[in-house]
């Protein structure tokens, strides 16, 4: 199977590399073309535009930073729409709002193509290990045909029905994750300022009902004020904002998520947007010092 891949950021690069390692032919594109070089060294081909990739490949996956980027790759000059046609499938694995997915779906299907949204739960390490969780919705036949690729990229793929459901589920998941990270940050700071060992807190949490991979994986580096970006904080804040908009749309009160979003916004204003989302703890520390 030959797969086109658009977007080689932290996630996209790891995902495209996994496809190559498992014997897929992969043609890659990134807005900064030099980011394709490492993949080409491992056997990928390179397209100079999204349209060129779509023309060459029956199936193309995109993994882009936000709704604006997702729309740009489809609708701009030399974009996906210029070559999508009957017999071709487009899978957008970016985290976007449902409205963006629906707009892309309408454009793709209007040209005869098939569309699946497939946002993923997981960050850099799961992407590298092929352990993502794929939240797919849209054309069922396209989903079924691309399961072999999904099985390489993730440990579980969910088919959630009509376009929009994948986007909504991803926002709910990331809203919970962001809220948890903010509460976790407050706990680490509170323990430290109360004269307790935050390392001991990590040990206690790991032995109880609240144990989870996120606390275990992020906690030690947070205690060292180290935030290598697995999932950039600016993207987490974007997802919190989109989740809150979904809450407004459905008249769901979300005070915990709203408070967490303010902490992530504060962290962004402190210049931490490109660090890992666990850097939100710095906003908690800052608030305490005021």
């Amino acid at each position: 199977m030959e797969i086109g891949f658009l977007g080689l950021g932290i996630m996209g690069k790891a995902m495209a590399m996994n496809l190559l390692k498992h014997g897929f032919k992969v043609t890659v594109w990134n807005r900064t073309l030099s980011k394709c070089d490492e993949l080409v060294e491992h056997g990928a081909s390179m397209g100079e535009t999204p349209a060129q990739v779509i023309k060459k490949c029956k199936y193309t996956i995109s993994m882009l930073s936000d709704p604006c980027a997702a729309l740009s790759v489809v609708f701009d000059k030399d974009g996906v729409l210029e070559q999508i046609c009957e017999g071709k499938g487009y899978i957008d694995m970016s985290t976007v709002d449902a409205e963006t997915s629906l707009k892309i779906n309408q454009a793709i299907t209007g040209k005869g193509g098939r569309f699946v949204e497939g946002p993923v739960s997981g960050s850099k390490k799961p992407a590298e290990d092929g352990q993502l969780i794929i939240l797919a919705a849209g054309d069922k036949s396209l989903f079924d045909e691309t399961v072999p690729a999904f099985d390489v990229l993730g440990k579980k793929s969910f088919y959630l029905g009509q376009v929009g459901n994948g986007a909504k589920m991803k926002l709910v998941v990331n809203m919970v994750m962001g809220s948890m990270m903010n509460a976790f940050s407050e706990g680490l700071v509170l323990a430290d300022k109360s004269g307790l060992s935050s390392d001991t807190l990590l040990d206690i949490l790991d032995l109880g009902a609240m144990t989870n991979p996120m606390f275990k994986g992020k906690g030690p580096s947070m205690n060292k004020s180290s935030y290598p970006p697995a999932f950039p904080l600016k993207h987490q804040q974007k997802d919190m904002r989109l989740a809150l908009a979904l809450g407004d749309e459905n008249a769901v009160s979300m005070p915990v998520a709203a408070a967490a979003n303010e902490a992530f916004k504060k962290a962004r204003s402190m210049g931490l947007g490109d660090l890992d989302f666990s850097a939100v703890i710095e906003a908690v520390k800052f608030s305490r010092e005021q």
Side-chain angles (χ1 to χ4, degrees):
M1 180 185 289
E2 183 167 7
I3 301 284
F5 207 103
L6 310 178
L8 300 176
I10 291 173
M11 298 291 288
K13 176 183 173 183
M15 294 162 71
M17 191 70 78
N18 266 338
L19 291 171
L20 283 170
K21 289 177 180 177
H22 285 81
F24 287 81
K25 295 180 179 178
V26 182
T27 299
V28 297
W29 171 88
N30 192 75
R31 197 174 301 277
T32 304
L33 287 177
S34 60
K35 288 191 175 182
C36 298
D37 293 347
E38 185 177 351
L39 278 297
V40 171
E41 289 174 6
H42 284 80
S45 302
M46 185 182 78
E48 294 190 358
T49 65
Q52 201 175 89
V53 176
I54 294 287
K55 182 177 181 179
K56 182 180 179 185
C57 303
K58 182 177 180 180
Y59 307 106
T60 298
I61 293 171
S62 62
M63 187 61 167
L64 303 158
S65 59
D66 56 30
C68 182
L71 291 169
S72 173
V73 161
V74 173
F75 290 98
D76 283 0
K77 184 179 183 299
D78 297 321
V80 169
L81 277 190
E82 292 191 8
Q83 291 295 334
I84 201 75
C85 59
E86 187 174 347
K88 292 186 180 292
Y90 185 63
I91 304 102
D92 188 357
M93 305 187 85
S94 317
T95 297
V96 300
D97 55 291
E99 183 180 355
T100 297
S101 272
L102 289 166
K103 186 173 183 179
I104 293 172
N105 175 62
Q106 184 177 29
I108 296 295
T109 56
K111 296 290 290 286
R114 293 178 295 162
F115 177 72
V116 161
E117 59 173 356
V120 301
S121 181
S123 57
K124 181 180 179 181
K125 187 68 163 61
E128 291 172 342
D129 296 341
Q131 292 293 298
L132 297 167
I133 302 166
I134 297 168
L135 310 173
D139 190 295
K140 184 62 162 60
S141 65
L142 178 57
F143 172 81
D144 290 339
E145 289 171 27
T146 49
V147 162
F150 290 165
D151 286 347
V152 165
L153 299 174
K155 61 182 176 181
K156 177 75 174 180
S157 297
F158 291 88
Y159 178 74
L160 302 173
Q162 65 184 9
V163 170
N165 287 349
K168 292 174 185 176
M169 184 66 82
K170 176 60 190 299
L171 293 178
V172 172
V173 169
N174 275 19
M175 179 274 292
V176 173
M177 181 174 74
S179 299
M180 286 174 62
M181 178 54 76
N182 194 58
F184 182 48
S185 297
E186 291 180 0
L188 291 174
V189 173
L190 180 59
D192 181 63
K193 298 306 179 182
S194 300
L196 303 171
S197 166
S198 52
D199 288 327
T200 300
L201 173 62
L202 294 181
D203 291 338
I204 293 167
L205 290 175
D206 193 44
L207 291 169
M210 288 181 288
T211 182
N212 67 72
M214 185 174 78
F215 291 175
K216 189 170 186 175
K218 302 289 186 184
S221 60
M222 291 168 72
N223 280 343
K224 297 175 183 176
S225 299
S226 175
Y227 316 106
F231 180 44
L233 185 143
K234 62 185 178 184
H235 296 331
Q236 175 66 68
Q237 196 271 310
K238 175 261 298 181
D239 293 348
M240 297 300 291
R241 173 176 54 81
L242 294 175
L244 288 168
L246 183 63
D248 288 345
E249 182 183 326
N250 290 281
V252 176
S253 177
M254 297 165 58
V256 173
N261 183 49
E262 291 302 315
F264 284 107
K265 282 198 291 185
K266 180 61 183 177
R268 283 188 68 188
S269 76
M270 294 167 65
L272 307 176
D274 290 326
L275 299 181
D276 190 73
F277 79 113
S278 56
V280 72
I281 193 173
E282 295 297 328
V284 177
K285 293 176 184 177
F286 180 86
S287 296
R288 184 195 174 280
E289 291 166 359
Q290 298 310 297

